[in-house]
Amino acid sequence: MERALVLGGGGVTGIAWELGLLAGLAERGLAVSDADLVVGTSAGALVGALVCSEVPLQRLYEAQLTPPRGKAAARLGWVALARLAWAGGRTRDAVRARARIGAMAVSARTPSEASQRAVIEARLPVREWPARRLLVTAVDASSGEFVVFDSDSGVSLVDAVGASCAVPGVWPPVTIGERRYVDGGMRSTVNADLAAGAERVLVIAPTSGAFGPMPRLSAQVAGLRLAGARVAVVTPDAAARTAIGRNMLDPARRMGSARAGWAQAAAVADEVATLWE
């Protein structure tokens, strides 16, 4: 496998920033979304499904520039963040920490599964798994097991993406068969290590923080490089961080985040070209 594109989590604004960045790179002749492997976590799972569809990147970017039409901002507030940190940080056992986060997610008051599934479905213009290899991450809410869905998993793309986007305490866990799943970002906000085996890896990460026993992005990148891969990591620059703001779930910041991603593409194009071409 030659090239892998890894798309990390980051909420509504992370989706917009990633699509802006990818469209800006494509405008400069860098079609990184044509990677042999696409890895998507949380917001990155939705972006991954979008860029593997037949919809042009420019159109996906322009869709981020439309007004949110009165959509209320969800919020992963300080209380929810504290609960996440408390649940996931009381043990060095990563699987146990994720199971505790899953239990918190199951007990939280959230919108219904059906309503959230309709939201994910509406955001996916193509609802079949792409021919290109796409990996979508999630976590089993009961066992804490890290799960990777692909076209061979027997799981619909809508459910896989919905599970990966199921932020604990904000959105409901997604039921697939007899199991319930939460955000793949509870294992790692990026899960860059899933690109192992690729010769060149581009990581696009709206956020790269970690807590408790969660693996750090820096360690995952170091592991890829130790295995012989060339890796470049793109995170939001100062202007993009300002556009994104403190609440990554606020649709009112979507347009600014998308434009910031588009603008940042000019600054990182040379680095990406050196890696990709």
Side-chain angles (χ1 to χ4, degrees), residues 225-251:
R225 287 174 174 156
L226 187 62
R230 295 169 55 198
V231 185
V233 179
V234 180
T235 58
D237 60 14
R241 290 194 299 272
T242 298
I244 289 169
R246 294 185 178 181
N247 182 13
M248 294 183 294
L249 301 176
D250 187 356

Side-chain angles (χ1 to χ4, degrees), residues 70-88:
K71 293 179 182 177
R75 178 175 292 276
L76 186 60
W78 292 111
V79 173
L81 285 170
R83 290 183 69 192
L84 275 176
W86 181 79

